[in-house]
Amino acid sequence: MDFNFKEIFTAFMVLFAVIDIVGNIPIIIDLRKKVGHIQSEKASVIAGFIMILFLFLGQRLLNLIGIDVHSFAVAGAFILFFLALEMILGITLYRDDEEEAISATVFPLAFPLIAGPGSLTTLLSLRAEFNLENIIVAVLLNVIVIYVVLKTSTKIEKVIGPNGIKIIRKIFGVILLAIAVKLFAANFKMLIA
């Protein structure tokens, strides 16, 4: 095994930026209000499992079902776009009256919010550049950060306050919208080329 601190750090920072768990705090708080309790451990483990599994099988799985990475990223851009609209406009596009905490833990928290198309396509890109073991360590470090943020989101909410949450929610909604547009534009060009 060839562990390289520079590769681990770079892969960690790239994934951290793409996952943007700190920026997702308003969404996490909103999910907690909608469903009550979110299982932080389970969400973190499931997200980590999805990312590591996709690291090994992602390209083959997409090829098997006839989907290229760019189509996958465009679909993910639509999901991010609608999440951003919810944040900016204060509306609810996805509603399930019988939604339970377990369902919110898996969808939309673990997938697609944490282990979403952005992070999964990033993993495929990192795999082309870095050693596999370094990427796995970077994923595991991100899972630890995700767990800490999920566990402390209620405390963070108390410190920031309701108005702070609304402001952060709108700001990160715009940022998420910009990421969705960028993801769509970059990958749509590749689809029509």
Side-chain angles (χ1 to χ4, degrees):
M1 290 198 171
D2 185 25
F3 288 107
N4 180 318
F5 179 76
K6 185 176 184 246
E7 280 192 12
I8 292 170
F9 181 74
T10 304
F12 169 80
M13 291 308 293
V14 168
L15 282 171
F16 182 77
V18 170
I19 294 168
D20 191 24
I21 193 65
V22 175
N24 286 323
I25 288 174
I27 298 173
I28 296 162
I29 290 167
D30 196 41
L31 280 174
R32 282 193 192 278
K33 285 180 181 168
K34 285 181 183 175
V35 300
H37 175 69
I38 290 176
Q39 299 169 341
S40 305
E41 302 87 359
K42 192 167 194 169
S44 304
V45 169
I46 290 172
F49 177 76
I50 291 170
M51 287 189 281
I52 290 174
L53 186 68
F54 198 81
L55 184 62
F56 285 100
L57 303 175
Q59 190 70 49
R60 280 180 272 176
L61 180 66
L62 291 177
N63 290 341
L64 180 69
I65 56 177
I67 299 172
D68 60 90
V69 175
H70 304 296
S71 299
F72 186 74
V74 167
F78 282 117
I79 292 169
L80 293 177
F81 178 81
F82 289 120
L83 282 171
L85 282 182
E86 284 188 348
M87 292 173 71
I88 295 167
L89 303 176
I91 58 173
T92 303
L93 297 173
Y94 173 76
R95 184 177 300 132
D96 188 356
D97 294 334
E98 301 195 18
E99 193 172 22
E100 297 174 5
I102 184 67
S103 64
T105 297
V106 177
F107 180 86
L109 190 55
F111 180 83
L113 204 58
I114 298 170
S119 57
L120 297 180
T121 50
T122 300
L123 284 169
L124 292 179
S125 301
L126 290 173
R127 176 107 195 240
E129 294 180 48
F130 301 135
N131 288 328
L132 190 61
E133 57 269 15
N134 295 326
I135 300 170
I136 292 170
V137 172
V139 168
L140 294 175
L141 290 172
N142 269 289
V143 167
I144 292 167
V145 172
I146 290 164
Y147 171 74
V148 170
V149 170
L150 290 177
K151 265 303 194 204
T152 60
S153 63
T154 309
K155 292 175 185 165
I156 293 169
E157 179 186 22
K158 288 177 185 171
V159 170
I160 296 172
N163 288 332
I165 293 297
K166 285 179 186 173
I167 293 167
I168 290 174
R169 185 172 167 78
K170 302 284 185 204
I171 291 169
F172 281 107
V174 172
I175 292 169
L176 192 61
L177 188 61
I179 291 169
V181 169
K182 182 180 176 187
L183 191 61
F184 177 82
N187 288 282
F188 188 72
K189 273 192 253 178
M190 300 302 279
L191 285 176
I192 58 172

